[in-house]
Amino acid sequence: MELYLVVKTTHILSSGVLFGSGAAIAFFMLMAWRSGDAPGFALAAKHVVLADWVFTTTAVIAQPLTGIALAHLAGWPLTAPWLLISYGLYIFIGACWLPVVWIQLEVRRLTAEAVAAGEPVPDRVHRLMRIWFVLGWPAFIALIAIFALMVARPGWS
């Protein structure tokens, strides 16, 4: 298979993993939080952290590598306006995601401690989850905007 098609396929698949894992992680973490079930929430947080490292982190690394390679192979200038906007949105998503990762690690720790002590989920977890929720929306919207730019590849000058 031609190198361009391999890189393009890898880029598309990793974007799907990034979007899909992000959506699934958000759904399961949100549902576990809303359930009020401390052991269930602790278990979900444990698996969400693992999924984020295995799937999301892999895709986060693959996206810029395959994206730059794809642009090079296609002959698109790396300074094309639609690519520059995409880079900015990707950096913005990362700025939202890094605190989310830290929050998920904290939530995992705090919920596990609460379950081990036979206590309810602490108030700090609820405060952290509200921040987690707020950070997720702009990142999600920015990711959709990147998809739109990748599909349209507008010829802005």
Side-chain angles (χ1 to χ4, degrees), residues 83-145:
L83 285 173
L84 293 174
I85 293 168
S86 296
Y87 306 152
L89 289 169
Y90 198 75
I91 290 166
F92 173 75
I93 291 167
C96 291
W97 180 62
L98 290 174
V100 161
V101 169
W102 178 83
I103 288 169
Q104 289 172 177
L105 290 167
E106 259 317 90
V107 166
R108 178 186 67 178
R109 181 182 67 77
L110 292 168
T111 55
E113 288 174 358
V115 168
E119 298 174 359
V121 174
D123 288 341
R124 180 160 187 251
V125 168
H126 299 294
R127 285 191 300 276
L128 288 170
M129 286 302 297
R130 284 190 287 276
I131 296 166
W132 174 89
F133 185 79
V134 167
L135 287 169
W137 281 107
F140 178 73
I141 292 165
L143 188 56
I144 291 172

Side-chain angles (χ1 to χ4, degrees), residues 48-93:
V48 158
V49 167
L50 177 61
D52 221 1
W53 286 115
V54 171
F55 299 108
T56 310
T57 303
T58 303
V60 163
I61 293 166
Q63 279 293 281
L65 297 176
T66 58
I68 290 169
L70 190 58
H72 175 72
L73 291 168
W76 299 320
L78 294 178
T79 57
W82 65 277
L83 285 173
L84 293 174
I85 293 168
S86 296
Y87 306 152
L89 289 169
Y90 198 75
I91 290 166
F92 173 75
I93 291 167

